[in-house]
Amino acid sequence: LALSVCAATPVLDPYDTQTAPANPTERATLWMDNSDLSYGMITKVDRKRMPSRKFKGYPYSVAVSPGKHPLKFFIGKISNPSSFDSYTMTTDYEVQIDVEAGHTYIIGTRNSIEGQVFAGQLIDLGPAKTCRYEVTGKMLQGYVPVKLNCI
C-alpha cells in the first residue's frame, strides 16, 4: 500500500470534497504537516474514501464545509530522510473534527522530543494563514519529499 500510494509525484493542492463550498471564505482547509521525518495522507472524509487522483496518492490536504466531520488518515515515519530506505506506515487514525469557515488547519504528523508522533493533533491557524507544499527533493524509493509552509 505505501508504494502504490506514494509511487508518483503527489498532487500538492487541496482536494475539494463534495461538501466544500467554492468560495474559500466559506470553507475550511486541512493540511497534513508533512516534513522530512514524517508524512500523512487523508484517506476518508465524512466516511467517503478519497480518490487517489490519477494514481498520485491520497490527498495531503482537503477542503471541507464548516462543521463536524469524521476524518481518517495515516501517518508514516521516515527513519532515513536522505535515502528513504527506512520508512514505515502506521495504522490509520480516525478523529472527529469541528472546523470553522475560512480557517486553515494543520493535522500534526511531527515527532515530539520523545519520538512520539502527534497523531491527529488539529491546530487552528485561523483565517489569515495560507499554506502550500514544496517539493524538497527528488523521488526516492517511491516517495517524493514535501514540506508544508504556512504564511
Side-chain angles (χ1 to χ4, degrees), residues 18-61:
Q18 292 177 349
T19 64
N23 185 337
T25 62
E26 296 175 2
R27 63 188 188 174
T29 307
L30 310 170
W31 299 83
M32 297 299 296
D33 190 18
N34 292 350
S35 69
D36 59 346
L37 297 177
S38 60
Y39 66 97
M41 293 184 183
I42 300 166
T43 57
K44 287 186 179 181
V45 176
D46 295 326
R47 296 182 183 83
K48 294 182 178 138
R49 186 179 170 111
M50 295 290 97
S52 93
R53 302 198 288 180
K54 299 183 182 177
F55 304 104
K56 293 188 178 208
Y58 288 112
Y60 291 160
S61 176

Side-chain angles (χ1 to χ4, degrees), residues 2 7 57 90 101 110 114 132 142:
T90 64
R110 296 179 188 242
E114 295 82 30
R132 66 184 173 99

Side-chain angles (χ1 to χ4, degrees), residues 27-146:
R27 63 188 188 174
T29 307
L30 310 170
W31 299 83
M32 297 299 296
D33 190 18
N34 292 350
S35 69
D36 59 346
L37 297 177
S38 60
Y39 66 97
M41 293 184 183
I42 300 166
T43 57
K44 287 186 179 181
V45 176
D46 295 326
R47 296 182 183 83
K48 294 182 178 138
R49 186 179 170 111
M50 295 290 97
S52 93
R53 302 198 288 180
K54 299 183 182 177
F55 304 104
K56 293 188 178 208
Y58 288 112
Y60 291 160
S61 176
V62 294
V64 298
S65 61
K68 295 183 180 183
H69 300 273
L71 185 70
K72 188 172 184 179
F73 59 92
F74 68 79
I75 294 174
K77 182 178 177 184
I78 301 166
S79 302
N80 187 352
S82 64
S83 68
F84 295 103
D85 61 356
S86 181
Y87 64 93
T88 58
M89 191 169 83
T90 64
T91 57
D92 288 329
Y93 295 90
E94 292 187 59
V95 296
Q96 179 78 17
I97 60 169
D98 192 2
V99 294
E100 294 182 50
H103 283 234
T104 298
Y105 296 85
I106 292 176
I107 301 168
T109 64
R110 296 179 188 242
N111 298 336
S112 70
I113 294 171
E114 295 82 30
Q116 299 297 313
V117 173
F118 293 144
Q121 180 183 10
L122 187 67
I123 302 163
D124 184 355
L125 299 180
K129 293 278 187 176
T130 58
C131 297
R132 66 184 173 99
Y133 290 110
E134 292 180 0
V135 174
T136 60
K138 63 181 182 175
M139 183 186 303
L140 295 168
Q141 301 294 322
Y143 177 75
V144 177
V146 298

